[in-house]
Amino acid sequence: MFMNQRCPKGRLAALGLAGAVWLASLFFVWGAFAHEGHDHGNAEKTAVVSSAYPRIAARSELYEVVGILKDGKLSVFIDDAVTNEPVSDAALQVTIGDSAPIEASSRENGIYTAPIPNGTPSGSVEVIFSISAGRGNDLLVDSFIPRAEARPAEQKHAPGWLLPNRAAIAASALAALGFGLLFAYLKRRGRFMAASMSAVVAGAFVILAAIMFGEGRTNATQPNPPDIPALSDAPRRLQDGSVFAAKPTQRLLDVRTAAAEPQTIHPAVTLIGRVMADPNRSSIVQSIYGGRVVPGDDGIPRIGQTVRKGDLLIRIEPHLPIADRTTILEKVGEIEQLMAVTENKLRRLRPLAERGAVPQGQVNDLESELEGLRARRETVRNSRTGFEELRASTDGIITSAKVAPGQVIQPQDVLFQIADPRSLWVEALAYDEIGLKQPEAATAMAPNGQQIALSFVGTSRALRQHASVVQFAIPEPPAGLNIGQPLNVMIQAGAPVSGLVVPRNAVVRSGNGENIVWLHTEPERFEPKPVRVVPVDAARVIVAAGVNEGEHIVVRGTDLINQIR
């Protein structure tokens, strides 16, 4: 009774209804402000346009055509559908919509230009390409859909807490203050139920003001959304992992493709080898006695110098011990003594032979004996001072020279090595069992990427470093191949394997390290495809899994496409 007199039910209900309406209105206003400028995920993201200019693309079994509209002219790129090679000998007619056929003018590298009648068409127009070239005549048709230049959508910026939200926060604060004063007044008057409701409403307004203040600060500091990327024909990696490369870019990178064709071939076994000289066309130069090096008239031959069989390289002055010199001097003295005795006999017998007292044959015998003694003396003298001449044993070039003027060498020291660069072998170590039979084929890869054909020579039954020694001859050695250079030798052996044979350069490594090839799926689109490969030789591999027959694989420029990001 007392409560009803001090605070009637109508007044209390009105007070509660007013607070609820005020609280609901503020929640509605706050929700409206908070909704504006919020990020709603990826639902309204602008799609990325792949090119900057309107373009048309068509493909047939013979040709691949891409037309790019720019400055009122249609630039047409014609390539071979299989190899992606530009077609520069074509006669092209372009029919756009209902207009008459237009003769396209030819430019270099398979690019043709056709003017657009009456300017750029505004709607979807059918375009017909009539091609006459050496590969055959063809007709390609597709729709031409020009696109206006894309513009970034206008960004809606959420209002900060200093503008509309500030008024709501101030109103909430004033309401909380008013209900707080009302709470104190009603409590002082003894109206406890009305005071309790005033306290609840005041607390709600305080909480609402705090939430709106924090939301306003968050919206004020939120970064602006990223700008839409500008349209461009630059090559780039798309979101699905494929690569967009415009036709001008493909011409610049010299991209070539090939159709995958199944074959049955023997797989390859990789061996580690090195280049060696042909034993039948190489030689070494050594001294038999040793001594001091004496250069010839033209000096000491240098490495890389071409020599012929029998050419004088150097001379060796032999070294004689003192005992040997004494023996030679004694022998020379004995010979000279015999020569003196023989000359005295000749002086005595010649007058007698002239008078006929002595036979002339005795005089002739003494003269012959004297000549022999003189020859013996010269031989003994030359054995002390004569030079040993070292000459080239084969034709070729000098690959090693280990001499200097005045150098004292020992017998059997290797002074020169001579090899013929037109006759080289390869020696490899085989750790796997390859048998003693001749393999199907053997190849190696030169430093410049050139494939080297090898001819099997033989396999040794003696192991070296727990491996069999296999030797191959190089019928036509490429220029720049050096003796001792390491090579990867691939020999085809084992059971035949069926698969798609592609060039080794067509297989590259992806970011995660797996083998992939790039498929030319559309005229300006390339897709990566993981594959499993088996080596065939130095230039080819077998794609055992991952690629279907007839798909177009990039065989040139693969590394460049793989680097596009």
Side-chain angles (χ1 to χ4, degrees):
M1 185 67 181
F2 177 79
M3 190 66 189
N4 291 338
Q5 292 178 358
R6 304 295 291 266
C7 184
K9 292 183 179 181
R11 186 178 301 176
L12 182 61
L15 180 62
L17 180 61
V21 171
W22 179 259
L23 184 62
S25 63
L26 285 183
F27 269 112
F28 176 77
V29 174
W30 171 73
F33 284 124
H35 181 270
E36 183 179 3
H38 276 191
D39 184 13
H40 293 278
N42 300 329
E44 298 180 356
K45 284 189 176 178
T46 305
V48 178
V49 183
S50 61
S51 58
Y53 302 101
R55 60 212 309 120
I56 180 174
R59 174 186 283 183
S60 67
E61 295 181 356
L62 295 179
Y63 303 107
E64 189 177 75
V65 176
V66 173
I68 301 176
L69 178 61
K70 183 179 180 182
D71 299 332
K73 295 182 179 180
L74 186 65
S75 298
V76 182
F77 297 80
I78 304 178
D79 295 333
D80 188 275
V82 178
T83 64
N84 201 47
E85 182 179 358
V87 178
S88 57
D89 61 343
L92 176 63
Q93 284 187 349
V94 181
T95 303
I96 302 176
D98 298 332
S99 62
I102 303 172
E103 292 287 343
S105 59
S106 176
R107 290 161 51 188
E108 67 230 358
N109 201 18
I111 304 176
Y112 303 82
T113 304
I116 300 298
N118 300 325
T120 305
S122 58
S124 177
V125 179
E126 185 181 65
V127 180
I128 302 175
F129 298 97
S130 177
I131 303 174
S132 300
R135 294 174 175 84
N137 301 334
D138 205 348
L139 197 68
L140 290 86
V141 182
D142 204 347
S143 298
F144 186 63
I145 306 176
R147 289 191 302 267
E149 183 180 358
R151 298 178 181 177
E154 296 182 358
Q155 302 292 333
K156 295 182 180 180
H157 299 279
W161 69 278
L162 294 176
L163 296 176
N165 285 359
R166 181 178 180 181
I169 295 172
S172 300
L174 292 176
L177 179 59
F179 278 102
L181 295 177
L182 181 60
F183 166 75
Y185 173 77
L186 295 176
K187 185 177 181 182
R188 186 175 181 183
R189 291 286 185 176
R191 301 176 183 178
F192 295 102
M193 184 173 293
S196 300
M197 182 169 288
S198 300
V200 171
V201 175
F205 279 113
V206 170
I207 295 174
L208 179 61
I211 293 175
M212 295 180 65
F213 180 80
E215 181 70 19
R217 294 297 299 270
T218 302
N219 292 337
T221 58
Q222 183 178 3
N224 294 329
D227 296 334
I228 297 178
L231 297 177
S232 173
D233 278 349
R236 56 189 171 273
R237 188 72 64 94
L238 303 180
Q239 294 180 356
D240 59 353
S242 61
V243 167
F244 168 79
K247 276 299 178 182
T249 302
Q250 297 181 32
R251 301 289 177 87
L252 182 63
L253 301 181
D254 196 22
V255 177
R256 295 292 181 269
T257 60
E261 299 179 357
Q263 297 183 18
T264 301
I265 196 170
H266 292 272
V269 178
T270 304
L271 308 179
I272 304 300
R274 65 177 184 87
V275 181
M276 59 176 293
D278 185 353
N280 300 320
R281 303 290 297 274
S282 61
S283 61
I284 60 176
V285 179
Q286 295 176 303
S287 173
I288 299 177
Y289 307 107
R292 189 181 302 275
V293 176
V294 178
D297 298 336
D298 298 332
I300 294 179
R302 66 185 185 278
I303 57 174
Q305 179 177 337
T306 302
V307 295
R308 297 289 183 181
K309 182 179 179 180
D311 289 352
L312 177 64
L313 302 180
I314 57 173
R315 294 181 297 174
I316 303 298
E317 180 184 1
H319 171 69
L320 295 178
I322 297 178
D324 294 341
R325 293 182 180 181
T326 302
T327 302
I328 293 174
L329 292 176
E330 291 177 356
K331 192 65 176 178
V332 171
E334 292 178 0
I335 295 174
E336 290 179 349
Q337 183 179 2
L338 293 175
M339 290 174 59
V341 173
T342 303
E343 289 175 353
N344 290 333
K345 289 181 180 182
L346 283 174
R347 283 195 296 269
R348 290 197 306 269
L349 293 178
R350 278 176 179 150
L352 296 176
E354 291 175 357
R355 294 193 296 270
V358 179
Q360 184 65 31
Q362 294 183 1
V363 176
N364 295 337
D365 293 342
L366 290 175
E367 290 178 350
S368 300
E369 183 179 356
L370 182 59
E371 291 296 329
L373 291 174
R374 289 173 180 172
R376 288 175 58 190
R377 183 183 63 180
E378 293 299 325
T379 301
V380 174
R381 285 179 177 178
N382 292 337
S383 65
R384 182 185 64 180
T385 59
F387 293 93
E388 179 186 4
E389 295 182 346
L390 302 184
R391 298 181 179 272
S393 301
T394 57
D395 298 339
I397 62 173
I398 297 177
T399 59
S400 176
K402 301 178 181 179
V403 293
Q407 177 183 353
V408 177
I409 61 173
Q410 300 297 325
Q412 300 180 358
D413 284 350
V414 178
L415 305 180
F416 296 97
Q417 292 183 354
I418 302 174
D420 188 354
R422 297 171 298 178
S423 181
L424 299 176
W425 284 15
V426 175
E427 185 177 77
L429 298 179
Y431 292 91
D432 298 330
E433 181 63 31
I434 62 173
L436 300 178
K437 297 182 179 180
Q438 182 175 354
E440 295 292 333
T443 55
M445 184 69 73
N448 58 358
Q450 179 183 359
Q451 183 179 358
I452 305 174
L454 302 179
S455 176
F456 179 75
V457 176
T459 303
S460 174
R461 290 182 177 271
L463 298 181
R464 182 194 302 173
Q465 299 177 0
H466 306 285
S468 300
V469 179
V470 188
Q471 292 183 343
F472 305 89
I474 305 178
E476 297 180 359
L481 199 61
N482 300 318
I483 296 176
Q485 180 176 339
L487 292 177
N488 288 332
V489 180
M490 297 184 181
I491 60 174
Q492 294 182 7
V497 176
S498 298
L500 305 175
V501 179
V502 299
R504 184 175 291 270
N505 295 334
V507 182
V508 293
R509 294 280 186 179
S510 63
N512 56 5
E514 63 181 351
N515 292 323
I516 63 171
V517 296
W518 285 92
L519 302 182
H520 193 195
T521 56
E522 297 180 10
E524 295 182 321
R525 189 184 182 94
F526 300 87
E527 293 183 2
K529 198 71 173 292
V531 294
R532 177 169 57 88
V533 297
V534 178
V536 173
D537 51 33
R540 300 177 300 168
V541 295
I542 298 177
V543 178
V547 177
N548 299 323
E549 179 182 356
E551 291 183 325
H552 295 171
I553 301 176
V554 179
V555 296
R556 187 193 299 175
T558 313
D559 292 337
L560 300 177
I561 293 179
N562 195 46
Q563 295 175 9
I564 295 176
R565 295 294 182 266

